[in-house]
Amino acid sequence: PVYNAGERSEGYTHFLWFALLTIGRALAIPAHLLGKYLSLPAFVGILFLLGRLSQRFYPGRGGWMGVPFAALAWAAHEEARLFASGGLETTPFLFFVLLGFDFLCASEHARKLDLAAWAYGIAALLSP
C-alpha cells in the first residue's frame, strides 16, 4: 500500500481503517466513497453517546429530556461535521474512545472493564 501510485514507500497508522477500505475495494466499492460515508454512523453514534452520558452523569438536568449540550456542541462544530465525511478515520476513532469511556465510567454492565478494553483496542487499531 502506498499513498500515491508509483511510490515505493509504505506507511499508515490506521490498520483497521486501511483493512476496511481494502475490503470495500475488494467488494468493488471505491475507497474514496467508502471512506467518505463509513464515518457518518460514527458521527451519529457520538451524538448518541454524548446524550446518554449527559443523561447518566446529570440525571434530571441533561440527557434526553433536558438539553444535552455536549451533543449539541458536537453537532454544531464545523470541524466535527467535516471530519465525519472527510474520508479519514478520525470520527470512528473518537467514537470508540468515547464508547470506551462510556463503558469504563458510566456503565453498570458486569463486564464493563472488558467492554472498555475492547473499545479502546478498536480505537488503537483505528489510529494509535
Side-chain angles (χ1 to χ4, degrees):
V2 296
Y3 186 74
N4 293 316
E7 287 184 354
R8 296 184 54 94
S9 64
E10 173 187 352
Y12 56 89
T13 60
H14 44 47
F15 171 76
L16 184 58
W17 191 250
F18 175 79
L20 290 171
L21 294 180
T22 301
I23 291 168
R25 287 184 65 190
L27 297 173
I29 302 170
H32 71 281
L33 290 177
L34 186 60
K36 182 175 183 174
Y37 296 111
L38 195 57
S39 294
L40 292 176
F43 181 82
V44 173
I46 290 172
L47 290 173
F48 173 77
L49 285 173
L50 289 172
R52 190 166 77 174
L53 285 167
S54 177
Q55 178 188 23
R56 287 182 179 172
F57 288 141
Y58 305 105
R61 295 187 305 170
W64 305 121
M65 300 317 245
V67 179
F69 288 110
L72 291 174
W74 180 256
H77 196 283
E78 182 179 3
E79 298 297 324
R81 291 192 319 267
L82 289 174
F83 274 106
S85 63
L88 298 175
E89 76 284 354
T90 308
T91 304
F93 168 75
L94 292 174
F95 169 76
F96 282 103
V97 167
L98 189 60
L99 183 63
F101 176 81
D102 181 53
F103 283 134
L104 195 59
C105 298
S107 177
E108 302 203 8
H109 195 281
R111 299 188 65 185
K112 69 180 188 175
L113 295 178
D114 295 335
L115 293 170
W118 172 83
Y120 287 136
I122 296 293
L125 288 174
L126 280 168
S127 183

